[in-house]
Amino acid sequence: MSHEMILGLASIIVLGICSQWLAWRFHLPAILLLLVSGLLAGPIGGILRPDALFGELLFPIVSVSVALILFEGGLSLHFRELRSVGRVILSLTSYGLIFTWLAAALAAHWLAGVDLRMAALGGAILTVSGPTVIVPLLRQIRPIGSVASIAKWEGIVNDPIGAILAVVVFNVLAAGTMENGAGIVIKGVLLSLVVGAVFGILAAAVMVLLLKTYSIPDYLQNPMSLMLVVAIYVAADYVQPETGLAAVTVMGIALANQHFVSIRQIVEFKENLRVILISSLFIILAARLTLADLAVNDLGGWMFVAFLILIVRPLTVLISSVGSKLNWREKLFLSWMAPRGIVAAAVVSVFAIHLAEIGFPETDRLVSLIFKVILGTVAVYGLTAPVLARRLGVARPDPQGVLFAGAHPLAQQLALALKAEGFPTVLVDTNFANVTEARQNDLKAYITNILAEDLHYDVPLEGIGRLLSMTPNDEVNALAGLHFIDLFGRSQIYQLPPVEMSRPRRDTRRQMAGYLRGRYLFGDDANYTMLRSMLSSGAVVKKTQLSEEFTWEDFRALYGEQVVLAFVIPEPGRLRVNTSESELEPQPGQTVICLVYPLEGDKGVRR
């Protein structure tokens, strides 16, 4: 293997993952950084040349990778989300998609001067968006309410439908049968969707049967699911060309909505794989561009891009949301969420080769136009959608609220203190008396098990960004943390330390493994027994604003050594949780929330 090939492969992985990390670290759009990195490595720097590196394997690799990404996307689609937004999603993926196709085709012909036949193909290609671009944006924006479900469903479901539509239109053009073209397109799309659905459901049934009968060991579950996805993608494509994407999407949806076996291990593996694939594909996509694709003097091409963003997409959302319960803010956000990505690039590149072989003109013009749309939509939506979502109040990119596992008196006092400072709180408990008391104190409390599979669908968690497991049962606290890792991230999972942590001589053989638990709250000694004892002895939760005249040291000296620091509010709207591994040092100007024995005249946070 030559040095250039090693450098090319290494640059894809390094640039992709580094871009993802930088996006997370500085709260930037990941897809935009990936695109910039690919441009720097490809047409600008000349380090990466995907066509020379992969040769004829490039598009097969991209196709299989997209199939895996769509399967993972299908695993995130749950029918419960359709209760309130199913009608809008159906509209966007049916006549909304058709409107986008026709409007984009006419705009390409009138504004960019593309031949009408090629414009029809280009419009079909531009109906796809997909999880390669939608998922990274949604992960950064973190929209709330129904718009999150709508954007996710539309992006994932439209991808295979749009790809099938593009293939059918291509076949009509290649065959030269323009008569009854609409009927041919409709029949072709419906046939492909039916074939894809059958293959996808069969593949999901096979996977469920293998898991339910324990026919494969745990260490082979992920490789077996990976093999099935690739096999069903190829098999469906062989029977009916370009139905593979529909098949793997249906397979993912079917697995996500069955209740026979747990697929958590498969979901976790595919989520990790998705990040690697999306990062790599976007680097490859950007590196394949040429400086001509970036030409700013193509007025017609950029007018076409602007028309798609400012006219076509808003009209599509407006038409598709007629009669829905969406408010104008949600409609406006959805109108600003239609980036195109790797699927559009791959499809148009493959079609251009075949169209050029059979003598169709303007294939280069179509490719250039599609890539301008990709660049323009990724840049515009990537830079502005997060800001727009925050301004409209439909997103909380850094939620500071707290989910309490346990609604006992201490959890209630802590929740009341946080609520008074503007932080959303939700309490969950199986104890009816605790939940009733919490509701009487005007707290959001729910009678359910913190380990319930559908809790995040049944309990509103908007604005909630961390979990505090504070039940009397150490094992339940640990399991709750594992249950919510995917939703909040390991750094935002907290639990009370077990009694063993406070003993002078810790028996390490009895301590829970680090990967099975959350971060220990408040301090090694702050277990449930000790905190309950303090509360029953008269301790209260107290909020105090520190200053230069009354520092944290002064507070400790006033209230004694038995002070349990729970939270620090460094600035309005920001919350930090005190843990045993990184004890906080409050500074003047910050607010502290502590459990203390009250002095004469103290009121604390009363229930």
Side-chain angles (χ1 to χ4, degrees):
M1 183 177 292
S2 69
H3 177 74
E4 184 178 353
M5 294 180 69
I6 295 175
L7 180 62
L9 289 172
S11 64
I12 293 173
I13 301 298
V14 172
L15 289 174
I17 302 304
C18 286
S19 297
Q20 291 277 7
W21 180 80
L22 288 172
W24 167 81
R25 181 67 180 81
F26 296 104
H27 305 286
L28 297 171
I31 55 176
L32 189 60
L33 287 185
L34 289 167
L35 205 57
V36 171
S37 298
L39 291 173
L40 292 175
I44 297 176
I47 299 174
L48 178 61
R49 294 183 296 168
D51 292 276
L53 181 63
F54 296 104
E56 295 183 355
L57 287 175
L58 177 60
F59 291 111
I61 290 174
V62 170
S63 299
V64 173
S65 299
V66 170
L68 292 171
I69 293 170
L70 274 178
F71 170 66
E72 192 277 333
L75 290 174
S76 67
L77 301 181
H78 296 272
F79 291 145
R80 305 178 194 87
E81 299 172 326
L82 299 179
R83 295 171 186 169
S84 59
V85 296
R87 180 181 174 183
V88 178
I89 294 170
L90 179 61
S91 300
L92 285 169
T93 55
S94 56
Y95 59 81
L97 183 143
I98 295 174
F99 174 79
T100 300
W101 169 35
L102 297 177
L106 293 175
H109 177 62
W110 290 334
L111 295 177
V114 179
D115 177 78
L116 190 57
R117 294 174 298 172
M118 298 295 287
L121 177 60
I125 294 172
L126 291 175
T127 61
V128 305
S129 178
T132 58
V133 282
I134 287 294
V135 171
L137 264 180
L138 292 180
R139 181 182 290 273
Q140 185 209 3
I141 297 172
R142 299 187 71 164
I144 59 178
S146 58
V147 291
S149 298
I150 294 173
K152 182 176 63 174
W153 272 87
E154 182 198 8
I156 294 172
V157 173
N158 262 4
D159 222 353
I161 297 176
I164 291 171
L165 174 63
V167 170
V168 174
V169 172
F170 168 78
N171 289 334
V172 171
L173 293 178
T177 56
M178 296 302 295
E179 298 80 5
N180 300 319
I184 296 173
V185 169
I186 293 173
K187 290 179 182 178
V189 171
L190 292 177
L191 177 61
S192 297
L193 289 176
V194 170
V195 172
V198 170
F199 272 88
I201 292 172
L202 287 176
V206 170
M207 193 67 206
V208 169
L209 181 63
L210 291 173
L211 293 174
K212 190 173 181 61
T213 58
Y214 301 96
S215 299
I216 50 177
D218 289 351
Y219 74 92
L220 280 181
Q221 286 186 14
N222 289 324
M224 183 64 71
S225 66
L226 188 69
M227 180 271 290
L228 270 177
V229 171
V230 175
I232 208 67
Y233 170 73
V234 174
D237 260 10
Y238 181 79
V239 173
Q240 178 73 17
E242 301 304 325
T243 60
L245 294 182
V248 297
T249 304
V250 171
M251 179 183 174
I253 295 174
L255 283 175
N257 291 279
Q258 55 80 34
H259 299 285
F260 300 103
V261 295
S262 172
I263 59 168
R264 185 180 182 89
Q265 184 175 344
I266 296 175
V267 171
E268 291 175 352
F269 170 70
K270 292 298 185 296
E271 286 177 346
N272 295 330
L273 184 62
R274 179 199 67 206
V275 173
I276 296 174
L277 291 176
I278 289 178
S279 303
S280 302
L281 290 179
F282 257 94
I283 295 296
I284 292 172
L285 159 68
R288 291 192 71 249
L289 298 177
T290 64
L291 295 178
D293 296 324
L294 307 177
V296 296
N297 58 353
D298 182 7
L299 182 61
W302 292 114
M303 286 177 61
F304 171 67
V305 175
F307 186 79
L308 288 181
I309 295 174
L310 299 175
I311 305 297
V312 175
R313 177 59 181 178
L315 284 177
T316 301
V317 172
L318 187 63
I319 293 171
S320 302
S321 60
V322 171
S324 71
K325 296 181 180 179
L326 297 178
N327 58 46
W328 70 269
R329 292 182 178 85
E330 293 170 326
K331 292 178 182 179
L332 181 56
F333 172 73
L334 291 173
S335 299
W336 208 252
M337 182 57 61
R340 274 68 169 189
I342 192 68
V343 176
V347 171
V348 73
S349 299
V350 172
F351 287 169
I353 296 173
H354 295 302
L355 288 172
E357 291 175 350
I358 59 179
F360 266 79
E362 296 187 336
T363 55
D364 291 339
R365 175 60 174 163
L366 179 64
V367 173
S368 175
L369 201 61
I370 298 297
F371 277 116
K372 281 185 173 63
V373 172
I374 294 171
L375 285 169
T377 56
V378 167
V380 170
Y381 295 133
L383 288 172
T384 61
V387 178
L388 179 66
R390 290 194 296 270
R391 293 288 180 88
L392 293 175
V394 298
R396 290 192 177 98
D398 189 17
Q400 296 291 302
V402 176
L403 170 63
F404 287 90
H408 45 73
L410 176 59
Q412 291 182 45
Q413 289 199 33
L414 291 173
L416 285 169
L418 294 176
K419 180 183 176 183
E421 293 297 318
F423 297 104
T425 60
V426 172
L427 294 87
V428 170
D429 204 323
T430 55
N431 187 301
F432 180 81
N434 285 343
V435 172
T436 300
E437 186 179 17
R439 288 176 176 174
Q440 290 173 349
N441 288 315
D442 200 26
L443 291 170
K444 293 181 180 179
Y446 299 86
I447 304 173
T448 186
N449 193 322
I450 191 65
L451 302 178
E453 183 177 0
D454 300 333
L455 184 140
H456 59 292
Y457 293 108
D458 299 329
V459 175
L461 297 178
E462 292 180 2
I464 304 298
R466 51 177 62 85
L467 168 72
L468 268 62
S469 291
M470 300 183 64
T471 76
N473 190 310
D474 295 330
E475 283 70 29
V476 170
N477 290 337
L479 288 172
L482 292 175
H483 190 44
F484 283 90
I485 278 181
D486 292 338
L487 185 61
F488 298 136
R490 187 174 294 276
S491 64
Q492 300 302 327
I493 300 296
Y494 306 88
Q495 71 177 80
L496 291 178
V499 176
E500 287 79 7
M501 292 295 295
S502 60
R503 291 175 177 170
R505 291 188 177 182
R506 299 175 185 171
D507 187 352
T508 56
R509 294 172 298 177
R510 297 182 61 187
Q511 291 184 26
M512 191 175 298
Y515 68 91
L516 294 176
R517 62 171 176 80
R519 303 168 70 182
Y520 285 144
L521 284 168
F522 312 149
D524 290 343
D525 298 333
N527 56 70
Y528 180 82
T529 302
M530 188 271 278
L531 295 176
R532 184 181 62 178
S533 175
M534 286 185 64
L535 205 65
S536 62
S537 300
V540 297
V541 172
K542 180 177 177 59
K543 292 186 301 179
T544 302
Q545 174 86 37
L546 302 178
S547 64
E548 295 290 349
E549 293 75 26
F550 187 70
T551 65
W552 175 240
E553 290 74 17
D554 298 330
F555 182 93
R556 293 289 299 270
L558 182 62
Y559 283 92
E561 290 299 321
Q562 204 163 7
V563 172
V564 178
L565 174 62
F567 308 108
V568 174
I569 304 174
E571 59 186 78
R574 302 289 302 178
L575 181 67
R576 299 183 63 189
V577 182
N578 191 36
T579 65
S580 62
E581 63 187 38
S582 56
E583 295 187 11
L584 301 178
E585 290 293 335
Q587 302 299 316
Q590 299 179 347
T591 299
V592 295
I593 299 176
C594 307
L595 181 65
V596 299
Y597 286 106
L599 303 176
E600 185 176 353
D602 274 345
K603 293 182 179 181
V605 179
R606 296 296 183 184
R607 292 175 289 133

